[in-house]
Amino acid sequence: MQKIPLTVRGAELLKQELQHLKSVARPEVIEAIAEARSHGDLSENAEYEAAKERQGFIEGRIAELEHKLSMAHIINPAEIHAEGKIVFGTTVTLEDLETEEQVTYQIVGEDEADIKERKIYVGSPIARALIGKEEGDIAEVQAPGGVREYDIIAVQYI
């Protein structure tokens, strides 16, 4: 079985979601199903059908989170000794050579990725282009509009 890379923060967020689903969402949907059953005929009961559908989603997500956490390889970026190379968990500052704009990203797992928070998925084109490079290197990223070049300004393990 393949391990799923997660940062410490990413693992904590998944644990929090799992705890919420088990302690809040699951009991709420069980109560909703009981309430809908009390209304009589289940064959034409839209509330019952909606609650059962929601229960299926919640149980599926619980199983998914439990699996991911059991297969997790938790990586603390502060403990990485990659000798300046970009690896999973690294925070990297780039400068677009065409526009001279600077941007900082952290390379994270799939469940943690959020472009608004500047966290990019390790399997994304830009992250794949960065992995293994170091400060001062140029990374070429195949973007929908063509190849983009980025100068790697800083590599941090924070």
Side-chain angles (χ1 to χ4, degrees):
M1 291 249 153
Q2 188 174 3
K3 290 287 189 180
I4 298 170
L6 289 172
T7 63
V8 174
R9 172 132 172 78
E12 191 55 42
L13 290 173
L14 291 184
K15 288 176 188 174
Q16 287 174 7
E17 181 183 355
L18 180 61
Q19 178 63 30
H20 173 78
L21 289 173
K22 285 182 168 183
S23 64
V24 177
R26 182 186 267 167
E28 284 176 354
V29 79
I30 289 170
E31 190 175 310
I33 289 170
E35 174 71 22
R37 276 191 176 145
S38 72
H39 294 148
D41 186 9
L42 299 181
S43 64
E44 295 181 19
N45 190 330
E47 286 177 30
Y48 178 77
E49 290 302 319
K52 288 298 282 182
E53 189 173 306
R54 174 115 175 97
Q55 181 184 37
F57 170 79
I58 289 169
E59 294 303 325
R61 184 65 179 156
I62 287 172
E64 179 184 6
L65 290 173
E66 286 176 338
H67 172 74
K68 285 180 178 181
L69 287 168
S70 72
M71 299 303 295
H73 177 78
I74 299 172
I75 299 168
N76 183 347
E79 296 174 359
I80 295 174
H81 303 290
E83 299 166 9
K85 295 211 181 295
I86 299 172
V87 295
F88 180 88
T90 303
T91 298
V92 59
T93 302
L94 308 171
E95 181 178 316
D96 186 321
L97 293 180
E98 186 176 315
T99 66
E100 296 184 0
E101 282 185 54
Q102 285 192 6
V103 66
T104 300
Y105 294 118
Q106 182 182 20
I107 299 173
V108 297
E110 184 175 17
D111 290 298
E112 303 172 73
D114 184 348
I115 197 67
K116 292 177 196 148
E117 291 186 25
R118 303 279 189 218
K119 294 178 184 278
I120 57 172
Y121 172 49
V122 68
S124 69
I126 191 165
R128 287 194 320 257
L130 294 171
I131 297 291
K133 299 223 179 324
E134 51 193 41
E135 197 172 301
D137 287 352
I138 302 294
E140 291 184 358
V141 179
Q142 184 63 47
V147 176
R148 306 283 302 248
E149 292 185 323
Y150 295 93
D151 184 14
I152 300 168
I153 304 296
V155 176
Q156 299 172 292
Y157 306 104
I158 52 176

